[in-house]
Amino acid sequence: MREGRSAGAVQTEELRSMAAAAGRRMGPSWWGFSPALDLQVHCESIHSLPSTLTGLQGTIQHLTSSDGLPELNILLVGGGDGRHLLKTICQASRWPHRKLKFFIIESDLELLARHMLFLSLALEHPEQMGLQEKSELFLELFGNSLIRSKTANYLQEKSELFIQCVTDPDYQQCVMPFLNLSSIKFKERDELEDIFKFWRIADPKLFPIDKYWDGKNRRHLGTRYDSRKGAYDWDLSMKLHDRGAGVINSREYNYWREKGVAFMNREGVYDVPNKTLASQMVVPQSSGKVLTRGYWGDITTSPYVAFGIETEEKSLLETANGVHVKSAQEIALHNIISLFHELATGKVYSVPASGQAEAELVKPVGDYKTNGDQTAAETIEEKAEAEDTKQSKYKGFITLNNVEIHFLPLSWVNELHCKGRFTNFFNLLYFSSSMVHLLKPEYKVIAASKATLVLELTKFMVDLQADKVQSYVSIVTKLAQGAGFTSDEPIDWKTHYIARFERGDDSVELQTAQ
């Protein structure tokens, strides 16, 4: 240890170094490096958990029965792609009725913009967009560098809606009442508006992602570029397959590594740049440091991990002669269809009988209604007429009952403990592996009694060797302990992709609201 430096500083530096080694320092985490979680799993007795959950063995055995909280306050730091948010919301009907409040902090505003896109897509009314089309559209925008022209048109149309939402708070509350942007500063709202305006531009030359992708691939592989197919196969078999993602086949993985296109569930031409994967960062050039737009995300792990390697439908994981029958693309599509079906109907999705389509139009039941059915629709219609019928295509979203989603500024990640409203507030805190270095001892102030801390591990990060994956577990365990969280069960770096910690009643530090 260098003189004058604390153990905490050394741990933080090592975490930053490990994230950089996997290319995460170079931009947003467009998709997660661990499967999507239903976060309410951590609030129920193990006896009431779905029997098909995987990847959590040894980390949820000590869960107690539901404490009957009227609301569940969840902090997501660096979730990136919103997969945990979506899965938790979509499967809410499986759990005791309570109000869900999500507070989201991301490293880049582009990630918040993608949150808005994915939420609005998930909530498209079934009468406006069929389940199959919605699911395919989601995966296309989620994990493809290139998309179809039809998908690009949808993105441009939604960009108009989002621009109005970030510039007119009253209008946003009418259209997306579940979303709270009140904590976002005016400067950040302006930047979000610029992002959506960029999405709205049809010119593909503004974001030549195929060029960016190949350039990043060349820099990453170096002298191995000419034999890159062998490098792809090595990463797949020796990293992803060995670590539990055996369902990803070489054909789909190699094509994604080469072109950046992960999901092609619908026949068509994928030739329009996916502008939602564009971000800006300061890069050194001959003239000095310049703010440059490009693709700065993952090119090695793949978007398949988030939704495509686990499923409750075990028949999709069957093998024949040691080879998986279904691909990660097919599993991801099934999982998204299942989530969106459950969101719209409140019922668990059942696989259609042989010969029937995987998805069909579903109609909301019970309390699931559209905003178009509510009084607020009158305001929407009035504004639409006043603005040259810009919103004439708006049909209303599925209403999210008892769900609030708060976007918080990145700067708040170091300020939450100073805000009285968050004292002993959060029942569950989640940190991604790219932002876990921001977990500080001060977080014990904002954790509620018996709060749960979930930390993403680096099991599926291709660019990390096994010794780094193993050492990462011990480092984040120390960070969690420093924040007042402990784990009663050992964390197996070979099998677990998250680490779960709990905070007890006797260790909660009460603080007078400031």
Side-chain angles (χ1 to χ4, degrees), residues 22-79:
R24 306 243 242 156
R25 181 176 59 87
M26 296 296 289
S29 298
W30 297 120
W31 39 78
F33 292 79
S34 57
L37 301 174
D38 177 357
L39 297 173
Q40 288 212 69
V41 164
H42 302 282
C43 305
E44 297 296 328
S45 167
I46 184 63
H47 301 294
S48 64
L49 292 175
S51 60
T52 53
L53 286 172
T54 59
L56 300 175
Q57 294 86 352
T59 66
I60 57 176
Q61 305 303 321
H62 58 293
L63 285 176
T64 57
S65 59
S66 174
D67 54 11
L69 283 176
E71 65 182 34
L72 186 65
N73 299 310
I74 299 173
L75 176 65
L76 295 169
V77 181

Side-chain angles (χ1 to χ4, degrees), residues 194-201 206-207 275 278 293:
D194 290 338
I195 291 170
F196 294 133
K197 285 181 176 178
F198 177 70
W199 288 6
R200 187 180 59 183
I201 301 173
L206 292 179
F207 185 54
K275 290 190 174 71
R293 176 180 284 118

Side-chain angles (χ1 to χ4, degrees), residues 1-2 4-14 475 478-479:
M1 183 184 303
R2 296 179 184 177
R5 298 176 62 202
S6 67
V10 173
Q11 292 171 0
T12 299
E13 181 177 314
E14 186 167 353
I475 293 172
K478 293 178 181 178
L479 288 178

Side-chain angles (χ1 to χ4, degrees), residues 44-337:
E44 297 296 328
S45 167
I46 184 63
H47 301 294
S48 64
L49 292 175
S51 60
T52 53
L53 286 172
T54 59
L56 300 175
Q57 294 86 352
T59 66
I60 57 176
Q61 305 303 321
H62 58 293
L63 285 176
T64 57
S65 59
S66 174
D67 54 11
L69 283 176
E71 65 182 34
L72 186 65
N73 299 310
I74 299 173
L75 176 65
L76 295 169
V77 181
D81 55 8
R83 66 196 184 282
H84 305 319
L85 172 68
L86 283 173
K87 187 168 184 176
T88 303
I89 292 173
C90 291
Q91 296 186 346
S93 59
R94 300 186 182 192
W95 307 100
H97 188 69
R98 57 163 62 100
K99 189 166 189 175
L100 299 176
K101 291 185 178 181
F102 299 88
F103 297 80
I104 299 174
I105 298 177
E106 296 291 358
S107 61
D108 299 84
L109 288 173
E110 288 86 354
L111 294 172
L112 294 182
R114 295 235 307 172
H115 278 302
M116 291 180 66
L117 173 64
F118 295 149
L119 282 168
S120 65
L121 180 53
L123 293 170
E124 289 281 9
H125 194 276
E127 294 181 359
Q128 169 133 343
M129 182 179 291
L131 185 57
Q132 183 84 19
E133 179 185 4
K134 180 192 296 189
S135 303
E136 292 172 350
L137 201 65
F138 174 89
L139 289 174
E140 202 172 322
L141 288 165
F142 174 79
N144 282 8
S145 62
L146 298 171
I147 57 180
R148 295 170 296 150
S149 58
K150 180 180 180 180
T151 305
N153 291 336
Y154 175 86
L155 178 62
Q156 293 163 24
E157 177 185 322
K158 284 301 173 186
S159 297
E160 292 281 358
L161 173 65
F162 300 148
I163 289 171
Q164 290 180 275
C165 285
V166 298
T167 57
D168 187 341
D170 293 334
Y171 178 79
Q172 178 257 307
Q173 280 300 303
C174 290
V175 179
M176 305 176 77
F178 54 85
L179 185 62
N180 189 317
L181 304 178
S182 61
S183 299
I184 298 296
K185 303 173 184 177
F186 288 112
K187 179 182 177 182
E188 293 166 326
R189 284 179 178 269
D190 292 341
E191 292 178 8
L192 278 172
E193 182 182 2
D194 290 338
I195 291 170
F196 294 133
K197 285 181 176 178
F198 177 70
W199 288 6
R200 187 180 59 183
I201 301 173
D203 187 0
K205 295 181 181 179
L206 292 179
F207 185 54
I209 192 170
D210 50 348
K211 174 185 174 183
Y212 298 146
W213 189 275
D214 183 66
K216 188 169 185 179
N217 217 0
R218 288 176 181 272
R219 291 190 296 274
H220 173 74
L221 294 172
T223 57
R224 297 184 298 158
Y225 181 80
D226 290 338
S227 57
R228 57 190 180 279
K229 297 297 177 61
Y232 301 162
D233 290 337
W234 175 269
D235 287 342
L236 178 63
S237 61
M238 303 304 292
K239 301 289 185 64
L240 291 173
H241 284 181
D242 279 0
R243 297 177 186 179
V247 71
I248 304 175
N249 65 51
S250 60
R251 179 188 56 79
E252 60 189 359
Y253 180 75
N254 288 356
Y255 191 79
W256 174 79
R257 285 288 298 264
E258 187 72 12
K259 300 293 185 181
V261 178
F263 302 102
M264 294 187 293
N265 296 295
R266 176 78 62 173
E267 291 186 4
V269 179
Y270 295 76
D271 60 352
V272 181
N274 183 358
K275 290 190 174 71
T276 73
L277 297 180
S279 63
Q280 298 185 85
M281 70 173 296
V282 177
V283 297
Q285 295 184 0
S286 57
S287 58
K289 294 183 178 180
V290 179
L291 187 64
T292 305
R293 176 180 284 118
Y295 176 78
W296 310 110
D298 168 51
I299 60 168
T300 56
T301 295
S302 85
Y304 300 123
V305 172
F307 292 106
I309 65 173
E310 290 188 350
T311 180
E312 292 182 340
E313 181 51 56
K314 295 308 176 185
S315 65
L316 299 178
L317 299 176
E318 293 177 353
T319 60
N321 298 320
V323 178
H324 282 273
V325 176
K326 298 295 183 179
S327 66
Q329 291 188 60
E330 293 172 302
I331 292 175
L333 179 60
H334 169 83
N335 285 340
I336 296 301
I337 287 174

